[in-house]
Amino acid sequence: MADSTLADSRGGRGGFGRGRGRGGDRGRGRGRGRGGKEDKETWTPVTKLGRLVKDRKIQSIEQIYLFSLPIKEYQIVDYFLPTLKDEVMKIMPVQKQTRAGQRTRFKAFVVIGDSNGHVGLGVKCSKEVATAIRGAIILAKLSVIPVRRGYWGSIMNEPHTVPCKVTGKCGSAVTRLVPAPRGTGIVAAPTPKKLLQLAGVTDCYTQAFGSTRTLGNFVKATFAAIGNTYSYLTPDLWAETKFTMSPYQQYTDFLSKPQEKRRA
């Protein structure tokens, strides 16, 4: 009876293993997800583009690409592409020689995409791995590009491969993407295969040259090749372009109004 009373007074477990700071109602862990939804709801844009997006003057991210407007806030990408998935490709230590010795930091390569024509690549260096990954995800969102897809042979169903042969280069690593028939799959090394999957390409042949074991340059070369899909002008894009006003010019009256300051 005395033992049970002692156990109740010490937290119901006899007082063993309770000295590590995991209190009853105080929660546990390091505050994961603290205020996540509030941050998204209370996003206060600081750029003209962010103000137009939050006020729903711009309806899609393709409208931003059409006028080549620079994206400086990652919340804009989160707003238009909520289904983005990220993949950490590599985390490598890098060192710098100082008078006090060597300073080691961690470099993270992160690929992001929605498997439906949008992909981004981010590289970030930081003292801690978690900080490097977090920063690389933000940079990947800011560098999201559209991916042009096409057909091999007959134009049926949805586009499934790259529209033409494209090449990307970074350092000595060269990646070449070649259209493939439907059902072929992605014939590539693990690094470009993950990038093509997140870009929404289902069938593709690849060729690689140079030092592909340098994963950073290899993934940058593949990203450059994917970005070149829209830089090649094919006959189906020869139609006369009807120029329209830029969103900055169209909504100049809205942007000229002072923005309401957020109350703390």
Side-chain angles (χ1 to χ4, degrees):
M1 191 71 179
D3 293 341
S4 62
T5 307
L6 183 62
D8 292 339
S9 65
R10 294 185 179 180
R13 286 178 54 185
F16 295 106
R18 300 291 293 175
R20 297 194 178 180
R22 292 182 180 176
D25 297 330
R26 289 180 293 172
R28 57 188 296 180
R30 297 186 179 179
R32 296 176 191 143
R34 188 183 299 164
K37 287 187 177 179
E38 293 180 5
D39 291 343
K40 289 185 179 179
E41 293 175 0
T42 58
W43 167 48
T44 303
V46 295
T47 61
K48 292 181 180 179
L49 183 62
R51 291 175 60 189
L52 292 176
V53 169
K54 189 172 182 180
D55 209 61
R56 299 185 181 181
K57 304 289 186 184
I58 296 178
Q59 301 298 326
S60 68
I61 197 168
E62 276 68 31
Q63 194 175 353
I64 298 175
Y65 294 143
L66 179 64
F67 294 97
S68 301
L69 304 178
I71 299 176
K72 299 297 180 71
E73 297 177 87
Y74 71 92
Q75 291 91 342
I76 296 174
V77 180
D78 287 333
Y79 181 85
F80 288 121
L81 306 174
T83 59
L84 284 174
K85 297 180 181 178
D86 56 82
E87 181 79 19
V88 179
M89 303 300 292
K90 186 179 183 181
I91 298 173
M92 57 182 290
V94 293
Q95 291 181 331
K96 177 184 178 181
Q97 188 69 38
T98 62
R99 287 186 297 175
Q102 292 177 337
R103 187 187 68 178
T104 303
R105 295 196 299 174
F106 297 96
K107 193 175 184 180
F109 295 86
V110 174
V111 174
I112 199 167
D114 62 350
S115 301
N116 191 26
H118 300 94
V119 69
L121 172 65
V123 183
K124 180 67 176 177
C125 195
S126 182
K127 293 180 180 178
E128 297 182 6
V129 175
T131 310
I133 294 175
R134 202 178 306 118
I137 290 174
I138 292 175
L139 292 176
K141 289 179 180 178
L142 294 177
S143 67
V144 167
I145 59 172
V147 182
R148 186 180 172 207
R149 292 167 292 175
Y151 300 90
W152 187 96
S154 60
I155 304 176
M156 297 176 63
N157 299 327
E158 296 295 324
H160 62 98
T161 185
V162 290
C164 57
K165 296 176 184 178
V166 288
T167 305
K169 188 176 188 297
C170 181
S172 67
V174 179
T175 304
R176 187 168 184 249
L177 307 181
V178 182
R182 195 181 296 273
T184 302
I186 300 175
V187 184
T191 298
K193 186 173 185 178
K194 176 57 67 174
L195 200 58
L196 290 168
Q197 285 174 344
L198 290 173
V201 177
T202 55
D203 307 291
C204 185
Y205 293 124
T206 63
Q207 287 179 298
F209 310 93
S211 181
T212 57
R213 63 184 293 178
T214 311
L215 189 141
N217 288 351
F218 195 19
V219 71
K220 286 181 181 178
T222 308
F223 184 70
I226 293 174
N228 287 336
T229 54
Y230 260 114
S231 65
Y232 191 78
L233 189 65
T234 51
D236 56 328
L237 297 177
W238 287 357
E240 185 178 354
T241 305
K242 295 181 180 179
F243 294 100
T244 57
M245 285 195 299
S246 167
Y248 292 159
Q249 188 177 3
Q250 185 177 357
Y251 299 106
T252 182
D253 294 335
F254 170 78
L255 294 173
S256 62
K257 296 178 183 177
Q259 188 178 6
E260 295 183 1
K261 294 185 178 180
R262 178 184 170 187
R263 295 181 180 177

